[in-house]
Amino acid sequence: MRTIHPVIQVLYQRRDEGSLPKRRTDHHRVGLVVEGGGMRGLISGAMMSTLLDRGLEYCFDAIYTFSAGALNSVYFLTGLGWYAVSIYYDHLACQDFLAEIHS
């Protein structure tokens, strides 16, 4: 038998019920912490895009961010998660950008 983490259960229940922040019927408070770290933001951006793909964007009560995680969170909250990920490999990993930061 497969066990599902209790937080995941809360998130999916909220999604399935159409629960919205500040209008919850459950007693839980679920926060999303998003790391930064420059190019490591690619990882949190992809993670948040996966949350969007699963319809979980309205299931969190708070989002705590830092650095690149703050930018990813803006894209997440506006529903543009995969666009944020594309910025990392389309614009930030190109020779022109890398040459500019090394000059």
Side-chain angles (χ1 to χ4, degrees):
M1 175 182 250
R2 187 173 150 199
T3 303
I4 299 175
H5 193 279
V7 175
I8 300 298
Q9 290 176 341
V10 169
L11 293 174
Y12 282 132
Q13 181 178 350
R14 286 178 172 186
R15 181 199 61 192
D16 295 344
E17 292 175 355
S19 177
L20 295 172
K22 298 188 180 184
R23 296 189 183 117
R24 308 265 188 233
T25 57
D26 63 48
H27 64 279
H28 303 287
R29 182 156 168 79
V30 181
L32 179 63
V33 179
V34 186
E35 71 173 348
M39 290 300 287
R40 283 195 327 246
L42 175 63
I43 297 166
S44 64
M47 178 265 313
M48 296 177 88
S49 297
T50 302
L51 292 172
L52 278 170
D53 289 348
R54 287 173 170 66
L56 299 172
E57 62 270 27
Y58 300 114
C59 297
F60 298 94
D61 299 298
I63 300 177
Y64 303 95
T65 68
F66 182 76
S67 188
L71 297 173
N72 290 338
S73 296
V74 170
Y75 286 106
F76 174 73
L77 292 170
T78 58
L80 299 171
W82 287 112
Y83 178 73
V85 173
S86 74
I87 290 171
Y88 288 97
Y89 59 81
D90 284 343
H91 302 289
L92 298 180
C94 69
Q95 290 293 7
D96 293 337
F97 179 79
L98 296 174
E100 186 68 31
I101 63 171
H102 290 295
S103 60

